[in-house]
Amino acid sequence: MKGILFAAPSSGSGKTTVTSGIIRALHNKGYRISPFKTGPDYIDKGFLEVAAKNAAGNLDLHLQGDLGMLEALSYVKPDIDYCIIEGAMGYYDGIYNTFENSSYAIGKKIGVNTILIYTPKGEMFTAVTKIKGMVDFGQGSITGVILNKVTEAHYDMLRVQIENHVGVKVLGYLPTIPELEFKSRHLGLIQSEEMTKLDSNLDHLAELVEKTIDLQSILNMCNTIPEQIRKSIQVKKKDLIIGVAKDKAFSFFYRENLEMLKSVGKVIYFSPLSDLSLPDCDLLYLGGGYPELYKEALSSNHEMLEAIRLFSEKGGHIFAECGGFMYLNEAIEEYKMVGIFKGEIKMTSKLQRFGYIDITLDQTCFLGEKGDQMRGHEFHRSRFLIEDQGETASIMTIKKTGKDNRWYCGYLYKNTYGGYPHFSFMGNKKMFTNIINRLTI
């Protein structure tokens, strides 16, 4: 399998629009594409999936670890022609003020070339100097440039100067196309399933890409990704049934997490919005999403609220992240929710937590033993207001990766865990194994 990485100097440069257009154009030409997103992002990944008509994965050195990230590539199907990776943030932007875990570092680890998407902003030749600085620092990792939001005349002028002074091939451009650009929301891009006419817009975008971008040169720049070997998970039982909440309210899942769950049992999807009962299962997995946008509908589904509450009271195992955790509280704003945790979720006007975190387990439970170390990330605009901690006292000490900031989160009631951290099971295999083996007791 061959692959390539698309990156940009900063967020808001149009990476997702350009990358999705290229993916759809290649798909329409008959190529089978496996898309990936670097970093912990769930939302941009949704556009890549729709563009490729194929599930997208994540690549993240912090969340998955060096070996786990490489193993994530092993989930690519054998019939795939190309792996197209979209970078996160700026190309060299990593943890804190370093390029650790940046798209640059991830691309180097995998061994793929990079195409730089550059959007000039009130500049002409200055753009050439900026591109040259990024190319030189990358020491050969950037092999091509695509200009975004430029006219054909602007492109022709810049192309000559970039190729003369920087020495990399300029592969084409996209003009400003407001009707085809992906709009943003407080936590990133609007979820792909919310966008009307997304599929037809991607086809229009692909038609434009074919006219203005040199797709064959992009394919020529793709280099071979070494075959990765997936390590098996050593668990006591492999015929489990896992119920996964998946609908418009709960849509944040890492493909790798779902694949690992499928390796130990059968995954059954259900909707807290529309289903009236739970599937017969050993474990409930409630991922993240935007439950606050659907709080009225979630609150009105009394049958589902009661079914989950009863499942927990009887000792059923539940693993809930961020949006799933919000749903398990007594209320989101004024709307009643499941009520397993005796707190209320209040939405705020700004991010409460954002970024990578290092986690220490403060008590032994079905996630692991006291003192176990885990990695995750948080991004949310809500606060958990605890009315009566009791059995729901926090079980984790959390430290901001690269900083000294510390706080507490993670709550346990019987065999129900909920908290704001998002986890990749690829980088927390001990925790994953503990959870699965606990289900056999």
Side-chain angles (χ1 to χ4, degrees), residues 306-378:
E306 182 59 27
I308 294 176
R309 188 183 305 114
L310 185 61
F311 183 86
S312 175
E313 286 293 346
K314 288 183 175 180
H317 287 77
I318 302 177
F319 185 83
E321 299 175 312
C322 202
F325 165 61
M326 294 165 64
Y327 178 59
L328 294 185
N329 276 273
E330 290 189 311
I332 298 178
E333 305 282 69
E334 69 275 22
Y335 291 92
K336 291 184 178 180
M337 295 293 150
V338 178
I340 292 173
F341 299 117
K342 306 306 177 185
E344 184 177 354
I345 301 297
K346 288 288 186 183
M347 302 307 299
T348 64
S349 60
K350 63 180 181 179
L351 281 169
Q352 298 301 303
R353 304 287 181 197
F354 178 76
Y356 293 114
I357 53 177
D358 300 313
I359 302 162
T360 301
L361 199 56
D362 292 331
Q363 72 178 63
T364 298
C365 61
F366 75 94
L367 304 184
E369 299 177 354
K370 181 178 180 179
D372 280 357
Q373 304 292 308
M374 298 173 284
R375 289 179 172 184
H377 76 100
E378 286 191 30

Side-chain angles (χ1 to χ4, degrees), residues 6 28 42 105 133 161 214 269 292-293 345 357 378 386 394:
F6 289 88
N28 288 348
Y42 296 100
Q161 298 289 26
D214 185 352
Y269 297 107
E292 68 273 21
L293 299 182
I345 301 297
I357 53 177
E378 286 191 30
I386 306 172
S394 61

Side-chain angles (χ1 to χ4, degrees), residues 26 66 99 176 194 209 217 246 260 291 310 394 411 430:
L26 292 173
D66 286 20
F99 59 75
T176 301
E194 295 178 57
V209 162
S217 288
K246 193 174 183 182
M260 287 179 68
L310 185 61
S394 61
Y411 303 91
K430 183 179 180 182

